[in-house]
């Protein structure tokens, strides 16, 4: 009988060990199930994130372009104004060439000013006598007046062409005309 008691004791120890291993297995199985659910959730979120990235690439790029965070650092607003200014400068340069007997041409400065986030609408003038481009601020008083007059007339031409040929009447006041006619503005 001692052998039966030994076998019974061994069986009880085996049952205890089996129960212990079974509990560990159940714990590990539960952890594995939880990890699989987390993995599926991560895969779902990753797919959603990729879709959002694709949407952001379009919208984000458009936003970057519109706000001037690409290339020349010129916002969409300044770009559109620059295109309109180019049209005015074409007309103004034709008039300024006539007024200055072929000496001056107006152009928009396209190079970005260092540290100037608001660049893109600055004007330069080509002096045919020197063959160089220079800032319009370097023009003399009379030359500045001719440039301003040609810009006003060029703007008038562009507005007329954009508005379907509506005729504009341009009234220019100079210091001299205001001074010589004091009641002009009343």
């Amino acid at each position: 009988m001692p052998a039966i008691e030994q076998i019974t004791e061994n069986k009880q120890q085996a049952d205890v060990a089996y129960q212990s291993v079974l509990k560990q297995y159940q714990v590990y199985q539960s952890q594995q199930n939880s990890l699989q659910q987390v993995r599926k959730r991560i895969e779902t979120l990753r797919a959603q994130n990729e879709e959002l990235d694709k949407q952001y690439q379009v919208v984000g790029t458009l936003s970057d372009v519109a706000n001037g965070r690409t290339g020349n650092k010129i916002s969409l607003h300044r770009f559109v104004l620059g295109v309109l200014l180019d049209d005015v400068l074409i007309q103004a340069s034709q008039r300024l060439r006539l007024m200055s007997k072929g000496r001056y041409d107006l152009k928009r400065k396209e190079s970005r000013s260092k540290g100037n986030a608001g660049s893109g609408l600055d004007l330069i003038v080509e002096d045919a006598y020197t063959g160089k481009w220079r800032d319009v601020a370097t023009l003399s008083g009379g030359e500045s007046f001719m440039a301003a007059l040609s810009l006003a007339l060029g703007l008038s031409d562009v507005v007329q062409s954009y508005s379907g040929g509506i005729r504009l009447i341009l009234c220019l006041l100079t210091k001299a005309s205001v001074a010589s006619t004091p009641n002009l503005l009343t």
Side-chain angles (χ1 to χ4, degrees), residues 67-182:
N67 292 310
R69 290 189 294 257
T70 61
N72 291 336
K73 307 285 186 209
I74 296 175
S75 68
L76 181 61
H77 181 255
R78 281 191 169 277
F79 175 79
V80 171
L81 288 175
V83 170
L84 294 172
L85 181 59
D86 288 342
D87 289 346
V88 171
L89 291 175
I90 290 169
Q91 297 300 318
S93 285
Q94 291 175 356
R95 294 184 181 267
L96 183 59
R97 250 182 261 119
L98 287 172
M99 288 182 212
S100 66
K101 297 182 176 135
R103 181 172 181 184
Y104 295 117
D105 243 350
L106 291 170
K107 182 179 173 185
R108 182 168 58 99
K109 185 177 180 182
E110 294 180 11
S111 62
R112 186 169 176 259
S113 301
K114 190 173 185 177
N116 185 3
S119 62
L121 300 176
D122 301 323
L123 299 182
I124 53 176
V125 64
E126 180 184 22
D127 187 339
Y129 290 2
T130 63
K132 294 182 179 178
W133 292 93
R134 58 187 172 120
D135 194 87
V136 291
T138 63
L139 294 173
S140 71
E143 295 165 339
S144 292
F145 176 76
M146 286 191 301
L149 179 61
S150 67
L151 281 167
L153 294 172
L155 178 62
S156 172
D157 292 342
V158 170
V159 169
Q160 284 182 40
S161 70
Y162 281 8
S163 62
I166 295 174
R167 191 157 189 258
L168 295 178
I169 299 173
L170 187 63
C171 177
L172 297 173
L173 299 177
T174 64
K175 287 181 185 177
S177 65
V178 173
S180 65
T181 317

Side-chain angles (χ1 to χ4, degrees), residues 56-70 75-76:
Y56 176 77
Q57 284 177 341
V58 173
V59 175
T61 301
L62 184 59
S63 171
D64 289 345
V65 168
N67 292 310
R69 290 189 294 257
T70 61
S75 68
L76 181 61

